[in-house]
């Protein structure tokens, strides 16, 4: 199983959609790796530079309804090929969330208070995820730990390395 | 306690219950297009799993960029085409026979009440109009669907959307769904099924019901669904006449896919549409919706009529009502993409294409076209489009471009006036 965690990138907006994560014009690519340079290309946030700011990131922390819009799994792959395997927010669009777990990656839902606390940690934040204990620990200027709930099926998908591996064995 | 339509479909299709919250369903129809499927095909091939669970249950179309515009899209089309042939998939629709998936597949009778339907496309929710459970999925789900004929879902709760009153002239299903999305917001229905019912829905054609269900995803819903009834049976009759003695018999049988009166819902909203004005979006989210009068005079550069939301025959008729004998304004250009060859032909026979062309529209072949800014009809930065599509995301129709979503009737009015305008005054 993968390990999850690392430097966090904060995207302080709700409803970040799949067109912002990876614009439709790149859907003609037939390999995941080819998507790499286009990560979050159309996301406009004050001071946000998609390429520079995602370089070190391993975890994204955001607000609500992340990944709304199209069904494109490219929105998950573009994170995967940029070594981002965890997205943390208050809620996700259904298809995006399912795509994350289907790829053996983590979409973690926290309460609004916990998300606010993460956003206010300050400094360069590093987040580690303990899947068994269902906790995350974040270290910035301050440190915090909070727990999350992982549906047992989603956990099984992550442990199996994704839905294809899981389903191939089982059905 | 009673059950909802969706609970009944889940119960009859349940293959496995991997956790209290998740169900693995047997899938009746797996639909594929050339944007999200080739990468699944390549991956399955690389894994040595180049198989399909049942070629008869897989429906394939090239629709997003067609005819191909460059080498990359030609390659996507080729991967899909070669695969369909190799896997003996008979229902494959290529250039000349192709059209927008969510308009074409219903037209072919592929979707029936009580079916489970998946596709690597978020607007798969459209097919809920037939009383089916139809959901958009990603590529991994698609791969498993192709291989095993199953898909996992969290148990969705159902939200009941009761639509009452009477639509006034110039107001359409598109206006109703925009209003509903405005009220629910873009994630108001996440992980839920939106069940559309009430007298207004009962009076709607299948086309209008598809428009309603099409945009359920814009409120975050897993699926939209309409109770299957006589309208459904009449639409499907050419395809089901060997299965039933009469339309009445089909209507009776379809009742097994109605929610029970004592079914439980997670929420219920009632919308009286009697005073509803034409609606239009103003921002970059589909819940940013206003009465069209509030945007009167707002400038546009392009008009786009088409897509899985509003590229069907009744949409073309609605637009033609305004365009007949008129010209589009000098400051705009206008594009019509009939959603399927059948619709195109019907529009030709009814003289609609002539009306559009005489008005100054460019008429393209059936395709998704400008809807997602991948082929023709792309906007330049700073340009604005009055569009009958379903998404107004920033950059959707071209980087820096902006889209106002509206009904075909309102879009035709914008074409004639050269700006957003209340179509009831045109
Ligand atoms: S018409 Fe637009 S929304 Fe519909 S399937 Fe095509 S690209 Fe998607």
């Amino acid at each position: 199983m993968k390990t999850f965690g690392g430097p966090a990138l904060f995207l302080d907006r709700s409803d970040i959609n799949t067109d912002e994560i990876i614009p439709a014009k790149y859907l003609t690519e037939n390999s995941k790796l080819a998507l790499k340079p286009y990560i979050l290309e159309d996301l406009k946030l004050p001071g946000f530079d998609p390429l520079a700011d995602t370089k070190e990131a391993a975890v994204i922390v955001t607000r609500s309804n992340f990944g709304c819009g199209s069904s494109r799994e490219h929105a998950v792959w573009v994170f995967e090929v940029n070594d981002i395997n965890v997205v943390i927010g208050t809620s996700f669009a259904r298809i995006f969330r399912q795509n994350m777990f289907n790829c053996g990656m983590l979409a973690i839902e926290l309460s609004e208070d916990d998300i606010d606390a993460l956003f206010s940690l300050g400094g360069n934040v590093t987040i580690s995820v303990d899947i068994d204990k269902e906790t995350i620990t974040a270290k910035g200027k301050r440190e915090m730990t909070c727990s999350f709930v992982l549906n047992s099926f989603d956990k099984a998908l992550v442990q199996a390395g994704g839905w294809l591996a899981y389903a191939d064995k089982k059905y | 306690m009673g059950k909802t339509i969706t609970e009944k479909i889940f119960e009859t299709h349940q293959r496995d219950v991997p956790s209290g919250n998740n169900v693995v369903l047997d899938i009746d129809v797996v639909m594929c297009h050339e944007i999200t499927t080739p990468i699944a095909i390549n991956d399955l091939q690389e894994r040595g799993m180049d198989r399909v669970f049942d070629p008869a249950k897989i429906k394939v179309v090239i629709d997003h960029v067609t005819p191909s515009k460059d080498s990359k899209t030609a390659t996507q089309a080729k991967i899909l085409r070669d695969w369909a042939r190799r896997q003996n998939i008979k229902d494959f629709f290529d250039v000349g026979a192709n059209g927008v998936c969510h308009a074409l597949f219903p037209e072919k009778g592929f979707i029936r009440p009580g079916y489970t339907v998946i596709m690597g496309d978020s607007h798969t929710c459209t097919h809920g109009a037939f009383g089916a459970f139809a959901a958009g999925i990603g590529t991994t789900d698609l791969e498993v669907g192709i291989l095993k004929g199953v898909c996992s879902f969290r148990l969705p709760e159902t939200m009941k959307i009761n639509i009452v009153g009477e639509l006034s002239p110039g107001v359409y299903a598109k206006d109703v769904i925009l209003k509903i999305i405005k009220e629910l917001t873009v994630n108001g229905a996440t992980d839920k099924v939106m069940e559309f019912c009430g007298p207004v829905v009962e009076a709607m054609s299948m086309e209008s019901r598809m428009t309603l269900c099409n945009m359920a995803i814009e409120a975050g819903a897993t699926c939209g669904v309409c109770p299957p009834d006589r309208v459904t049976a009449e639409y499907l009759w050419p395809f089901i006449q060997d299965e039933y003695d009469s339309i009445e018999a089909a209507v009776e049988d379809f009742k097994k896919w109605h929610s029970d009166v004592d079914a439980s819902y997670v929420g219920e909203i009632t919308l009286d549409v009697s005073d509803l004005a034409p609606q239009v979006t103003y921002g970059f989210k589909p819940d940013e919706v206003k009465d069209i009068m509030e945007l009167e005079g707002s400038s546009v550069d392009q008009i786009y009529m088409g897509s899985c939301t509003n590229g069907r025959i009744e949409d073309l008729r609605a637009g033609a009502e305004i365009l007949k004998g008129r010209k589009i304004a000098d400051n705009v250009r206008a594009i019509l993409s009939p959603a399927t060859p059948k619709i195109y032909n019907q529009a030709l026979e009814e003289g609609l294409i002539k009306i559009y062309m005489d008005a100054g529209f460019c008429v393209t072949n059936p395709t998704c076209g400008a809807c997602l800014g991948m082929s023709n009809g792309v906007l330049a930065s700073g340009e604005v489009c009055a569009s009958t599509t379903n998404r107004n995301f920033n950059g959707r129709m071209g980087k820096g471009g902006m889209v106002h979503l509206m009904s075909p009737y309102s879009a035709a009015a914008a074409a004639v006036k050269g700006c957003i305008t209340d179509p009831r005054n045109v």
Side-chain angles (χ1 to χ4, degrees):
Chain A
M1 195 168 67
K2 287 178 189 139
T3 56
F4 295 95
L9 166 65
F10 289 85
L11 301 176
D12 194 2
R13 212 197 77 199
S14 289
D15 306 317
I16 292 176
N17 66 59
T18 51
D19 280 61
E20 291 170 308
I21 299 169
I22 181 83
K25 64 180 173 206
Y26 302 121
L27 303 186
T28 56
E29 301 296 346
N30 281 320
S31 88
K32 295 181 185 180
L33 212 55
L35 303 172
K36 194 170 176 185
Y38 311 121
I39 182 167
L40 294 164
E41 185 177 278
D42 274 352
L43 180 65
K44 303 273 176 290
L45 288 178
F48 175 62
D49 177 346
L51 278 183
D53 295 353
T54 54
K55 207 163 176 192
E56 300 297 327
V59 178
I60 284 176
V61 182
T62 182
R63 301 286 180 178
S64 69
N65 198 33
F66 187 82
C68 60
S70 95
S71 63
R72 65 188 69 155
E73 202 158 299
H74 307 67
V76 169
W77 301 331
V78 77
F79 291 142
E80 191 181 15
V81 296
N82 279 285
D83 297 320
I84 296 168
N85 288 317
V86 186
V87 183
I88 302 173
T90 55
S91 66
F92 294 91
R94 180 191 67 84
I95 304 175
F96 178 85
R97 183 191 63 216
Q98 191 66 49
N99 288 345
M100 286 288 284
F101 287 111
N102 281 350
C103 289
M105 293 156 67
L106 283 174
I108 296 176
E109 289 175 353
L110 293 181
S111 70
E112 224 168 290
D113 287 347
D114 283 341
I115 291 287
D116 283 342
L118 282 176
F119 269 94
S120 58
L121 280 178
N124 290 326
V125 177
T126 300
I127 293 179
S128 59
V129 182
D130 186 326
I131 296 185
D132 291 324
K133 294 205 186 105
E134 300 188 0
T135 56
I136 67 162
T137 305
K139 285 191 189 116
K141 281 197 180 129
R142 280 168 287 124
E143 186 176 330
M144 68 176 271
T145 298
C146 56
S147 55
F148 60 92
V149 180
L150 199 55
N151 169 317
S152 64
F153 176 62
D154 292 338
K155 194 178 211 162
L157 292 183
V158 174
Q159 282 160 344
W163 170 229
L164 189 60
Y166 180 101
D168 193 43
K169 229 185 258 161
K170 204 155 170 204
Y171 305 110
Chain B
M1 195 173 39
K3 299 189 182 81
T4 62
I5 304 179
T6 307
E7 284 164 345
K8 291 180 184 183
I9 297 175
F10 268 52
E11 213 175 72
T12 50
H13 289 75
Q14 181 176 307
R15 167 83 72 97
D16 188 17
V17 186
S19 88
N21 210 352
N22 299 77
V23 184
V24 174
L25 299 178
D26 281 315
I27 302 299
D28 295 312
V29 187
V30 179
M31 312 190 299
C32 300
H33 65 55
E34 89 284 12
I35 300 298
T36 49
T37 316
I39 207 155
I41 296 168
N42 284 349
D43 190 55
L44 287 174
Q45 265 187 317
E46 276 167 30
R47 294 172 190 261
M49 296 171 158
D50 187 19
R51 305 182 294 271
V52 302
F53 80 110
D54 182 351
K57 291 185 174 170
I58 300 181
K59 315 292 176 188
V60 185
V61 67
I62 298 171
D63 64 351
H64 276 57
V65 185
T66 184
S68 305
K69 64 164 179 167
D70 57 14
S71 307
K72 282 189 174 169
T73 51
T75 303
Q76 289 182 306
K78 181 171 162 42
I79 293 170
L80 195 69
R81 185 181 293 123
D82 290 349
W83 172 73
R85 289 191 184 135
R86 183 165 80 239
Q87 301 297 348
N88 235 332
I89 296 166
K90 299 278 182 280
D91 293 315
F92 168 57
F93 302 90
D94 207 336
V95 177
N98 58 0
V100 179
C101 50
H102 309 306
L104 185 77
F105 292 147
E107 213 179 76
K108 300 287 176 190
F110 294 157
I111 321 301
R112 309 284 171 79
Y115 269 20
T116 50
V117 182
I118 58 170
M119 181 174 202
D121 191 285
S122 59
H123 293 100
T124 307
C125 50
T126 312
H127 308 280
F130 290 85
F133 174 74
I137 49 154
T139 302
T140 303
D141 272 336
L142 181 63
E143 289 184 32
V144 173
I146 286 169
L147 260 185
K148 308 277 178 182
V150 298
C151 193
S152 85
F153 289 95
R154 285 195 191 176
L155 272 176
E157 296 170 302
T158 299
M159 186 179 256
K160 189 172 190 171
I161 317 248
N162 218 346
I163 308 174
V164 302
E166 208 172 323
L167 287 172
S168 38
V171 184
Y172 296 85
K174 179 65 160 285
D175 303 303
V176 174
I177 188 64
L178 284 173
K179 177 76 179 176
I180 291 169
I181 295 164
K182 176 185 184 175
E183 300 215 338
L184 289 178
T185 76
V186 285
N187 61 350
T190 301
D191 282 317
K192 298 181 180 74
V193 170
M194 288 163 76
E195 185 174 322
F196 298 105
C197 46
V200 176
V201 181
E202 283 160 28
M204 275 183 183
S205 65
M206 283 314 298
E207 283 83 355
S208 289
R209 294 178 191 183
M210 284 190 254
T211 303
L212 279 187
C213 291
N214 176 269
M215 290 193 72
I217 181 75
E218 308 312 332
T222 304
C223 183
V225 69
C226 299
D229 59 7
R230 168 167 285 275
V231 177
T232 323
E234 282 172 0
Y235 183 100
L236 287 174
W237 189 241
F239 310 101
I240 60 173
Q241 48 186 336
D242 293 340
E243 293 161 41
Y244 296 101
D245 291 339
S246 62
I247 291 188
E248 284 66 37
V251 174
E252 236 352 86
D253 185 47
F254 287 177
K255 286 190 181 148
K256 67 176 182 251
W257 302 116
H258 285 193
S259 294
D260 296 327
V261 279
D262 57 343
S264 82
Y265 292 91
V266 63
E268 194 163 337
I269 57 174
T270 297
L271 178 69
D272 187 334
V273 295
S274 303
D275 296 324
L276 185 68
Q279 302 290 298
V280 60
T281 63
Y282 59 90
F284 294 115
K285 293 197 304 162
D287 61 357
E288 294 177 324
V289 175
K290 286 184 171 164
D291 288 349
I292 202 158
M293 301 82 86
E294 294 180 59
L295 264 76
E296 182 75 43
S298 188
S299 73
V300 294
D301 303 288
Q302 173 169 297
I303 317 297
Y304 184 61
M305 299 258 229
S307 86
C308 57
T309 320
N310 285 124
R312 299 187 180 82
I313 191 69
E314 70 173 29
D315 303 317
L316 273 55
R317 287 182 191 136
E321 255 180 64
I322 289 208
L323 294 169
K324 191 165 186 165
R326 290 197 170 107
K327 297 265 181 234
I328 64 171
D330 288 339
N331 61 313
V332 295
R333 54 190 192 268
I335 304 165
L336 166 67
S337 301
T340 69
K342 183 179 171 193
I343 295 163
Y344 200 144
N345 251 318
Q346 211 171 340
L348 272 172
E349 279 162 18
E350 293 181 16
L352 306 178
I353 298 294
K354 183 159 170 48
I355 292 173
Y356 279 88
M357 293 188 74
D358 286 350
F361 269 69
C362 156
V363 182
T364 79
N365 63 302
T367 174
C368 295
C371 174
L372 82 168
M374 269 185 84
S375 56
N376 50 25
V378 177
L379 300 176
S381 185
E383 285 192 321
V384 179
C385 183
S387 177
T388 68
T389 54
N390 47 38
R391 265 188 194 141
N392 54 345
F393 295 162
N394 196 356
R396 169 83 176 176
M397 207 175 265
K399 207 178 177 92
M402 173 164 192
V403 174
H404 292 286
L405 304 176
M406 61 186 75
S407 76
Y409 196 69
S410 298
V416 169
K417 268 297 236 0
C419 59
I420 294 178
T421 189
D422 188 336
R424 296 170 299 183
N425 302 331
V426 173

